[in-house]
PDB file of all heavy atoms in Angstrom:
ATOM      1  N   ASP A   1      -0.912 -66.948 -15.971  1.00 93.00           N
ATOM      2  CA  ASP A   1      -0.789 -67.387 -14.574  1.00 93.00           C
ATOM      3  C   ASP A   1       0.674 -67.502 -14.175  1.00 93.00           C
ATOM      4  O   ASP A   1       1.076 -67.098 -13.068  1.00 93.00           O
ATOM      5  CB  ASP A   1      -1.482 -68.746 -14.387  1.00 93.00           C
ATOM      6  CG  ASP A   1      -2.989 -68.653 -14.509  1.00 93.00           C
ATOM      7  OD1 ASP A   1      -3.540 -67.574 -14.209  1.00 93.00           O
ATOM      8  OD2 ASP A   1      -3.611 -69.655 -14.906  1.00 93.00           O
ATOM      9  N   THR A   2       1.479 -68.069 -15.084  1.00 94.00           N
ATOM     10  CA  THR A   2       2.914 -68.209 -14.818  1.00 94.00           C
ATOM     11  C   THR A   2       3.559 -66.841 -14.635  1.00 94.00           C
ATOM     12  O   THR A   2       4.371 -66.625 -13.717  1.00 94.00           O
ATOM     13  CB  THR A   2       3.596 -68.963 -15.981  1.00 94.00           C
ATOM     14  OG1 THR A   2       2.975 -70.235 -16.139  1.00 94.00           O
ATOM     15  CG2 THR A   2       5.080 -69.143 -15.730  1.00 94.00           C
ATOM     16  N   ALA A   3       3.190 -65.889 -15.505  1.00 95.00           N
ATOM     17  CA  ALA A   3       3.752 -64.531 -15.425  1.00 95.00           C
ATOM     18  C   ALA A   3       3.336 -63.839 -14.128  1.00 95.00           C
ATOM     19  O   ALA A   3       4.138 -63.132 -13.505  1.00 95.00           O
ATOM     20  CB  ALA A   3       3.299 -63.721 -16.633  1.00 95.00           C
ATOM     21  N   ARG A   4       2.102 -64.039 -13.722  1.00 94.00           N
ATOM     22  CA  ARG A   4       1.639 -63.442 -12.452  1.00 94.00           C
ATOM     23  C   ARG A   4       2.421 -64.013 -11.276  1.00 94.00           C
ATOM     24  O   ARG A   4       2.789 -63.281 -10.341  1.00 94.00           O
ATOM     25  CB  ARG A   4       0.147 -63.703 -12.263  1.00 94.00           C
ATOM     26  CG  ARG A   4      -0.756 -62.898 -13.174  1.00 94.00           C
ATOM     27  CD  ARG A   4      -2.221 -62.997 -12.758  1.00 94.00           C
ATOM     28  NE  ARG A   4      -3.086 -62.367 -13.741  1.00 94.00           N
ATOM     29  CZ  ARG A   4      -3.688 -63.000 -14.738  1.00 94.00           C
ATOM     30  NH1 ARG A   4      -3.525 -64.318 -14.873  1.00 94.00           N
ATOM     31  NH2 ARG A   4      -4.439 -62.355 -15.605  1.00 94.00           N
ATOM     32  N   ALA A   5       2.662 -65.312 -11.324  1.00 94.00           N
ATOM     33  CA  ALA A   5       3.415 -65.962 -10.245  1.00 94.00           C
ATOM     34  C   ALA A   5       4.841 -65.413 -10.157  1.00 94.00           C
ATOM     35  O   ALA A   5       5.462 -65.430  -9.084  1.00 94.00           O
ATOM     36  CB  ALA A   5       3.447 -67.468 -10.472  1.00 94.00           C
ATOM     37  N   LEU A   6       5.336 -64.908 -11.295  1.00 94.00           N
ATOM     38  CA  LEU A   6       6.688 -64.309 -11.325  1.00 94.00           C
ATOM     39  C   LEU A   6       6.666 -62.836 -10.941  1.00 94.00           C
ATOM     40  O   LEU A   6       7.688 -62.143 -11.019  1.00 94.00           O
ATOM     41  CB  LEU A   6       7.293 -64.472 -12.727  1.00 94.00           C
ATOM     42  CG  LEU A   6       7.591 -65.921 -13.162  1.00 94.00           C
ATOM     43  CD1 LEU A   6       7.990 -65.966 -14.626  1.00 94.00           C
ATOM     44  CD2 LEU A   6       8.689 -66.531 -12.289  1.00 94.00           C
ATOM     45  N   GLY A   7       5.474 -62.320 -10.577  1.00 95.00           N
ATOM     46  CA  GLY A   7       5.349 -60.938 -10.122  1.00 95.00           C
ATOM     47  C   GLY A   7       5.329 -59.911 -11.233  1.00 95.00           C
ATOM     48  O   GLY A   7       5.696 -58.743 -11.015  1.00 95.00           O
ATOM     49  N   LEU A   8       4.877 -60.301 -12.425  1.00 96.00           N
ATOM     50  CA  LEU A   8       4.944 -59.402 -13.579  1.00 96.00           C
ATOM     51  C   LEU A   8       3.630 -58.666 -13.865  1.00 96.00           C
ATOM     52  O   LEU A   8       3.566 -57.883 -14.818  1.00 96.00           O
ATOM     53  CB  LEU A   8       5.370 -60.190 -14.828  1.00 96.00           C
ATOM     54  CG  LEU A   8       6.788 -60.792 -14.759  1.00 96.00           C
ATOM     55  CD1 LEU A   8       7.040 -61.688 -15.957  1.00 96.00           C
ATOM     56  CD2 LEU A   8       7.831 -59.673 -14.692  1.00 96.00           C
ATOM     57  N   GLU A   9       2.590 -58.883 -13.047  1.00 95.00           N
ATOM     58  CA  GLU A   9       1.324 -58.198 -13.309  1.00 95.00           C
ATOM     59  C   GLU A   9       1.450 -56.671 -13.161  1.00 95.00           C
ATOM     60  O   GLU A   9       0.879 -55.922 -13.978  1.00 95.00           O
ATOM     61  CB  GLU A   9       0.218 -58.730 -12.408  1.00 95.00           C
ATOM     62  CG  GLU A   9      -1.154 -58.172 -12.794  1.00 95.00           C
ATOM     63  CD  GLU A   9      -2.298 -58.974 -12.196  1.00 95.00           C
ATOM     64  OE1 GLU A   9      -2.102 -59.638 -11.152  1.00 95.00           O
ATOM     65  OE2 GLU A   9      -3.392 -58.944 -12.783  1.00 95.00           O
ATOM     66  N   PRO A  10       2.227 -56.144 -12.160  1.00 95.00           N
ATOM     67  CA  PRO A  10       2.395 -54.674 -12.089  1.00 95.00           C
ATOM     68  C   PRO A  10       2.999 -54.095 -13.365  1.00 95.00           C
ATOM     69  O   PRO A  10       2.607 -53.013 -13.808  1.00 95.00           O
ATOM     70  CB  PRO A  10       3.325 -54.494 -10.892  1.00 95.00           C
ATOM     71  CG  PRO A  10       3.064 -55.696 -10.031  1.00 95.00           C
ATOM     72  CD  PRO A  10       2.833 -56.814 -10.997  1.00 95.00           C
ATOM     73  N   LEU A  11       3.954 -54.819 -13.951  1.00 95.00           N
ATOM     74  CA  LEU A  11       4.564 -54.345 -15.207  1.00 95.00           C
ATOM     75  C   LEU A  11       3.514 -54.310 -16.315  1.00 95.00           C
ATOM     76  O   LEU A  11       3.476 -53.361 -17.117  1.00 95.00           O
ATOM     77  CB  LEU A  11       5.731 -55.251 -15.604  1.00 95.00           C
ATOM     78  CG  LEU A  11       6.424 -54.915 -16.938  1.00 95.00           C
ATOM     79  CD1 LEU A  11       6.978 -53.484 -16.927  1.00 95.00           C
ATOM     80  CD2 LEU A  11       7.550 -55.923 -17.222  1.00 95.00           C
ATOM     81  N   ALA A  12       2.650 -55.320 -16.363  1.00 95.00           N
ATOM     82  CA  ALA A  12       1.585 -55.352 -17.377  1.00 95.00           C
ATOM     83  C   ALA A  12       0.661 -54.147 -17.204  1.00 95.00           C
ATOM     84  O   ALA A  12       0.239 -53.528 -18.200  1.00 95.00           O
ATOM     85  CB  ALA A  12       0.789 -56.650 -17.268  1.00 95.00           C
ATOM     86  N   LYS A  13       0.372 -53.790 -15.960  1.00 95.00           N
ATOM     87  CA  LYS A  13      -0.503 -52.635 -15.702  1.00 95.00           C
ATOM     88  C   LYS A  13       0.171 -51.332 -16.103  1.00 95.00           C
ATOM     89  O   LYS A  13      -0.485 -50.420 -16.629  1.00 95.00           O
ATOM     90  CB  LYS A  13      -0.887 -52.600 -14.228  1.00 95.00           C
ATOM     91  CG  LYS A  13      -1.851 -53.718 -13.820  1.00 95.00           C
ATOM     92  CD  LYS A  13      -2.193 -53.653 -12.330  1.00 95.00           C
ATOM     93  CE  LYS A  13      -3.187 -54.754 -11.963  1.00 95.00           C
ATOM     94  NZ  LYS A  13      -3.494 -54.754 -10.519  1.00 95.00           N
ATOM     95  N   ILE A  14       1.490 -51.254 -15.881  1.00 94.00           N
ATOM     96  CA  ILE A  14       2.236 -50.046 -16.282  1.00 94.00           C
ATOM     97  C   ILE A  14       2.187 -49.893 -17.800  1.00 94.00           C
ATOM     98  O   ILE A  14       1.967 -48.794 -18.329  1.00 94.00           O
ATOM     99  CB  ILE A  14       3.701 -50.135 -15.780  1.00 94.00           C
ATOM    100  CG1 ILE A  14       3.739 -49.989 -14.250  1.00 94.00           C
ATOM    101  CG2 ILE A  14       4.567 -49.059 -16.444  1.00 94.00           C
ATOM    102  CD1 ILE A  14       5.096 -50.327 -13.643  1.00 94.00           C
ATOM    103  N   ILE A  15       2.407 -50.998 -18.508  1.00 94.00           N
ATOM    104  CA  ILE A  15       2.362 -50.954 -19.977  1.00 94.00           C
ATOM    105  C   ILE A  15       0.978 -50.518 -20.442  1.00 94.00           C
ATOM    106  O   ILE A  15       0.841 -49.679 -21.344  1.00 94.00           O
ATOM    107  CB  ILE A  15       2.744 -52.323 -20.581  1.00 94.00           C
ATOM    108  CG1 ILE A  15       4.216 -52.638 -20.297  1.00 94.00           C
ATOM    109  CG2 ILE A  15       2.473 -52.353 -22.090  1.00 94.00           C
ATOM    110  CD1 ILE A  15       4.634 -54.055 -20.669  1.00 94.00           C
ATOM    111  N   MET A  16      -0.065 -51.072 -19.833  1.00 94.00           N
ATOM    112  CA  MET A  16      -1.429 -50.731 -20.229  1.00 94.00           C
ATOM    113  C   MET A  16      -1.763 -49.274 -19.921  1.00 94.00           C
ATOM    114  O   MET A  16      -2.580 -48.646 -20.607  1.00 94.00           O
ATOM    115  CB  MET A  16      -2.444 -51.647 -19.535  1.00 94.00           C
ATOM    116  CG  MET A  16      -2.493 -53.053 -20.119  1.00 94.00           C
ATOM    117  SD  MET A  16      -2.820 -53.068 -21.900  1.00 94.00           S
ATOM    118  CE  MET A  16      -4.423 -52.285 -21.954  1.00 94.00           C
ATOM    119  N   ALA A  17      -1.129 -48.708 -18.899  1.00 91.00           N
ATOM    120  CA  ALA A  17      -1.355 -47.290 -18.568  1.00 91.00           C
ATOM    121  C   ALA A  17      -0.756 -46.382 -19.643  1.00 91.00           C
ATOM    122  O   ALA A  17      -1.197 -45.241 -19.829  1.00 91.00           O
ATOM    123  CB  ALA A  17      -0.760 -46.957 -17.208  1.00 91.00           C
ATOM    124  N   GLN A  18       0.282 -46.882 -20.330  1.00 91.00           N
ATOM    125  CA  GLN A  18       0.880 -46.207 -21.504  1.00 91.00           C
ATOM    126  C   GLN A  18       1.386 -44.792 -21.193  1.00 91.00           C
ATOM    127  O   GLN A  18       1.262 -43.872 -21.993  1.00 91.00           O
ATOM    128  CB  GLN A  18      -0.146 -46.161 -22.652  1.00 91.00           C
ATOM    129  CG  GLN A  18      -0.612 -47.539 -23.101  1.00 91.00           C
ATOM    130  CD  GLN A  18      -1.773 -47.496 -24.061  1.00 91.00           C
ATOM    131  OE1 GLN A  18      -1.691 -46.820 -25.084  1.00 91.00           O
ATOM    132  NE2 GLN A  18      -2.848 -48.216 -23.753  1.00 91.00           N
ATOM    133  N   ASN A  19       2.008 -44.654 -20.003  1.00 86.00           N
ATOM    134  CA  ASN A  19       2.503 -43.309 -19.661  1.00 86.00           C
ATOM    135  C   ASN A  19       3.947 -43.314 -19.158  1.00 86.00           C
ATOM    136  O   ASN A  19       4.386 -42.378 -18.494  1.00 86.00           O
ATOM    137  CB  ASN A  19       1.589 -42.655 -18.617  1.00 86.00           C
ATOM    138  CG  ASN A  19       1.452 -43.503 -17.363  1.00 86.00           C
ATOM    139  OD1 ASN A  19       2.198 -44.460 -17.186  1.00 86.00           O
ATOM    140  ND2 ASN A  19       0.513 -43.134 -16.507  1.00 86.00           N
ATOM    141  N   THR A  20       4.688 -44.384 -19.436  1.00 85.00           N
ATOM    142  CA  THR A  20       6.099 -44.404 -19.044  1.00 85.00           C
ATOM    143  C   THR A  20       6.968 -44.052 -20.252  1.00 85.00           C
ATOM    144  O   THR A  20       6.681 -44.453 -21.368  1.00 85.00           O
ATOM    145  CB  THR A  20       6.498 -45.785 -18.481  1.00 85.00           C
ATOM    146  OG1 THR A  20       7.873 -45.748 -18.110  1.00 85.00           O
ATOM    147  CG2 THR A  20       6.310 -46.888 -19.517  1.00 85.00           C
ATOM    148  N   SER A  21       8.072 -43.318 -19.990  1.00 82.00           N
ATOM    149  CA  SER A  21       8.954 -42.920 -21.094  1.00 82.00           C
ATOM    150  C   SER A  21      10.173 -43.829 -21.200  1.00 82.00           C
ATOM    151  O   SER A  21      10.895 -43.812 -22.188  1.00 82.00           O
ATOM    152  CB  SER A  21       9.426 -41.467 -20.890  1.00 82.00           C
ATOM    153  OG  SER A  21      10.054 -41.340 -19.616  1.00 82.00           O
ATOM    154  N   ASP A  22      10.412 -44.630 -20.150  1.00 89.00           N
ATOM    155  CA  ASP A  22      11.570 -45.527 -20.158  1.00 89.00           C
ATOM    156  C   ASP A  22      11.089 -46.945 -19.833  1.00 89.00           C
ATOM    157  O   ASP A  22      11.209 -47.413 -18.698  1.00 89.00           O
ATOM    158  CB  ASP A  22      12.599 -45.061 -19.130  1.00 89.00           C
ATOM    159  CG  ASP A  22      13.860 -45.935 -19.138  1.00 89.00           C
ATOM    160  OD1 ASP A  22      14.015 -46.727 -20.093  1.00 89.00           O
ATOM    161  OD2 ASP A  22      14.645 -45.846 -18.179  1.00 89.00           O
ATOM    162  N   LEU A  23      10.549 -47.621 -20.838  1.00 92.00           N
ATOM    163  CA  LEU A  23       9.968 -48.945 -20.615  1.00 92.00           C
ATOM    164  C   LEU A  23      11.048 -49.972 -20.288  1.00 92.00           C
ATOM    165  O   LEU A  23      10.855 -50.833 -19.429  1.00 92.00           O
ATOM    166  CB  LEU A  23       9.182 -49.389 -21.851  1.00 92.00           C
ATOM    167  CG  LEU A  23       8.419 -50.707 -21.720  1.00 92.00           C
ATOM    168  CD1 LEU A  23       7.449 -50.664 -20.548  1.00 92.00           C
ATOM    169  CD2 LEU A  23       7.674 -51.021 -23.015  1.00 92.00           C
ATOM    170  N   THR A  24      12.224 -49.863 -20.959  1.00 91.00           N
ATOM    171  CA  THR A  24      13.309 -50.814 -20.700  1.00 91.00           C
ATOM    172  C   THR A  24      13.775 -50.706 -19.260  1.00 91.00           C
ATOM    173  O   THR A  24      13.981 -51.712 -18.570  1.00 91.00           O
ATOM    174  CB  THR A  24      14.484 -50.567 -21.660  1.00 91.00           C
ATOM    175  OG1 THR A  24      14.022 -50.637 -23.007  1.00 91.00           O
ATOM    176  CG2 THR A  24      15.592 -51.602 -21.441  1.00 91.00           C
ATOM    177  N   GLY A  25      13.925 -49.459 -18.802  1.00 92.00           N
ATOM    178  CA  GLY A  25      14.343 -49.250 -17.424  1.00 92.00           C
ATOM    179  C   GLY A  25      13.315 -49.779 -16.439  1.00 92.00           C
ATOM    180  O   GLY A  25      13.667 -50.381 -15.421  1.00 92.00           O
ATOM    181  N   THR A  26      12.053 -49.557 -16.764  1.00 93.00           N
ATOM    182  CA  THR A  26      10.979 -50.055 -15.894  1.00 93.00           C
ATOM    183  C   THR A  26      11.001 -51.578 -15.856  1.00 93.00           C
ATOM    184  O   THR A  26      10.881 -52.191 -14.784  1.00 93.00           O
ATOM    185  CB  THR A  26       9.610 -49.579 -16.413  1.00 93.00           C
ATOM    186  OG1 THR A  26       9.606 -48.152 -16.474  1.00 93.00           O
ATOM    187  CG2 THR A  26       8.491 -50.057 -15.497  1.00 93.00           C
ATOM    188  N   ALA A  27      11.195 -52.195 -17.012  1.00 92.00           N
ATOM    189  CA  ALA A  27      11.205 -53.659 -17.086  1.00 92.00           C
ATOM    190  C   ALA A  27      12.382 -54.247 -16.325  1.00 92.00           C
ATOM    191  O   ALA A  27      12.284 -55.340 -15.749  1.00 92.00           O
ATOM    192  CB  ALA A  27      11.248 -54.101 -18.546  1.00 92.00           C
ATOM    193  N   SER A  28      13.527 -53.506 -16.291  1.00 94.00           N
ATOM    194  CA  SER A  28      14.728 -54.020 -15.618  1.00 94.00           C
ATOM    195  C   SER A  28      14.502 -54.211 -14.123  1.00 94.00           C
ATOM    196  O   SER A  28      15.178 -55.023 -13.484  1.00 94.00           O
ATOM    197  CB  SER A  28      15.911 -53.074 -15.865  1.00 94.00           C
ATOM    198  OG  SER A  28      15.688 -51.827 -15.216  1.00 94.00           O
ATOM    199  N   ARG A  29      13.538 -53.500 -13.572  1.00 93.00           N
ATOM    200  CA  ARG A  29      13.260 -53.617 -12.136  1.00 93.00           C
ATOM    201  C   ARG A  29      12.593 -54.952 -11.794  1.00 93.00           C
ATOM    202  O   ARG A  29      12.484 -55.323 -10.630  1.00 93.00           O
ATOM    203  CB  ARG A  29      12.365 -52.465 -11.668  1.00 93.00           C
ATOM    204  CG  ARG A  29      13.011 -51.089 -11.810  1.00 93.00           C
ATOM    205  CD  ARG A  29      12.381 -50.080 -10.872  1.00 93.00           C
ATOM    206  NE  ARG A  29      10.971 -49.838 -11.163  1.00 93.00           N
ATOM    207  CZ  ARG A  29      10.519 -48.911 -12.005  1.00 93.00           C
ATOM    208  NH1 ARG A  29      11.392 -48.129 -12.631  1.00 93.00           N
ATOM    209  NH2 ARG A  29       9.236 -48.762 -12.220  1.00 93.00           N
ATOM    210  N   TYR A  30      12.151 -55.682 -12.821  1.00 93.00           N
ATOM    211  CA  TYR A  30      11.453 -56.947 -12.585  1.00 93.00           C
ATOM    212  C   TYR A  30      12.333 -58.163 -12.884  1.00 93.00           C
ATOM    213  O   TYR A  30      11.862 -59.296 -12.866  1.00 93.00           O
ATOM    214  CB  TYR A  30      10.181 -57.008 -13.442  1.00 93.00           C
ATOM    215  CG  TYR A  30       9.152 -55.994 -12.984  1.00 93.00           C
ATOM    216  CD1 TYR A  30       9.165 -54.697 -13.477  1.00 93.00           C
ATOM    217  CD2 TYR A  30       8.205 -56.332 -12.023  1.00 93.00           C
ATOM    218  CE1 TYR A  30       8.240 -53.760 -13.045  1.00 93.00           C
ATOM    219  CE2 TYR A  30       7.276 -55.396 -11.574  1.00 93.00           C
ATOM    220  CZ  TYR A  30       7.292 -54.113 -12.097  1.00 93.00           C
ATOM    221  OH  TYR A  30       6.376 -53.189 -11.653  1.00 93.00           O
ATOM    222  N   ILE A  31      13.646 -57.882 -13.140  1.00 93.00           N
ATOM    223  CA  ILE A  31      14.572 -58.976 -13.383  1.00 93.00           C
ATOM    224  C   ILE A  31      14.852 -59.715 -12.072  1.00 93.00           C
ATOM    225  O   ILE A  31      15.016 -59.102 -11.020  1.00 93.00           O
ATOM    226  CB  ILE A  31      15.891 -58.451 -14.005  1.00 93.00           C
ATOM    227  CG1 ILE A  31      15.624 -57.915 -15.427  1.00 93.00           C
ATOM    228  CG2 ILE A  31      16.954 -59.545 -14.040  1.00 93.00           C
ATOM    229  CD1 ILE A  31      16.838 -57.269 -16.068  1.00 93.00           C
ATOM    230  N   SER A  32      14.875 -61.055 -12.171  1.00 92.00           N
ATOM    231  CA  SER A  32      15.140 -61.897 -10.997  1.00 92.00           C
ATOM    232  C   SER A  32      15.750 -63.199 -11.483  1.00 92.00           C
ATOM    233  O   SER A  32      16.037 -63.360 -12.677  1.00 92.00           O
ATOM    234  CB  SER A  32      13.834 -62.179 -10.247  1.00 92.00           C
ATOM    235  OG  SER A  32      12.969 -62.967 -11.064  1.00 92.00           O
ATOM    236  N   ASP A  33      15.930 -64.144 -10.550  1.00 91.00           N
ATOM    237  CA  ASP A  33      16.493 -65.445 -10.947  1.00 91.00           C
ATOM    238  C   ASP A  33      15.606 -66.142 -11.976  1.00 91.00           C
ATOM    239  O   ASP A  33      16.108 -66.835 -12.867  1.00 91.00           O
ATOM    240  CB  ASP A  33      16.635 -66.348  -9.714  1.00 91.00           C
ATOM    241  CG  ASP A  33      17.728 -65.845  -8.778  1.00 91.00           C
ATOM    242  OD1 ASP A  33      18.552 -65.013  -9.222  1.00 91.00           O
ATOM    243  OD2 ASP A  33      17.733 -66.270  -7.605  1.00 91.00           O
ATOM    244  N   ASN A  34      14.313 -65.939 -11.829  1.00 93.00           N
ATOM    245  CA  ASN A  34      13.367 -66.594 -12.742  1.00 93.00           C
ATOM    246  C   ASN A  34      13.007 -65.730 -13.947  1.00 93.00           C
ATOM    247  O   ASN A  34      12.340 -66.193 -14.876  1.00 93.00           O
ATOM    248  CB  ASN A  34      12.087 -66.974 -11.999  1.00 93.00           C
ATOM    249  CG  ASN A  34      12.342 -68.035 -10.949  1.00 93.00           C
ATOM    250  OD1 ASN A  34      13.050 -68.993 -11.208  1.00 93.00           O
ATOM    251  ND2 ASN A  34      11.792 -67.837  -9.751  1.00 93.00           N
ATOM    252  N   VAL A  35      13.379 -64.453 -13.912  1.00 93.00           N
ATOM    253  CA  VAL A  35      13.149 -63.535 -15.035  1.00 93.00           C
ATOM    254  C   VAL A  35      14.511 -62.931 -15.383  1.00 93.00           C
ATOM    255  O   VAL A  35      14.871 -61.848 -14.899  1.00 93.00           O
ATOM    256  CB  VAL A  35      12.135 -62.426 -14.670  1.00 93.00           C
ATOM    257  CG1 VAL A  35      11.835 -61.559 -15.900  1.00 93.00           C
ATOM    258  CG2 VAL A  35      10.857 -63.014 -14.099  1.00 93.00           C
TER     259      VAL A  35
END
């Protein structure tokens, strides 16, 4: 619930789709004051 509130559910769905070649780069787009 805490992670969803931080807007991280799209990232979880991307990981589950298992079709990205640059996971670190994808994760960097979710960095914020709280992440």
Side-chain angles (χ1 to χ4, degrees):
D1 291 332
T2 302
R4 288 191 188 94
L6 294 172
L8 296 173
E9 188 163 25
L11 177 59
K13 289 179 178 178
I14 290 169
I15 293 171
M16 285 304 299
Q18 300 171 54
N19 57 12
T20 180
S21 56
D22 182 13
L23 185 57
T24 304
T26 302
S28 67
R29 297 203 297 271
Y30 292 88
I31 293 175
S32 66
D33 291 344
N34 294 316
V35 185

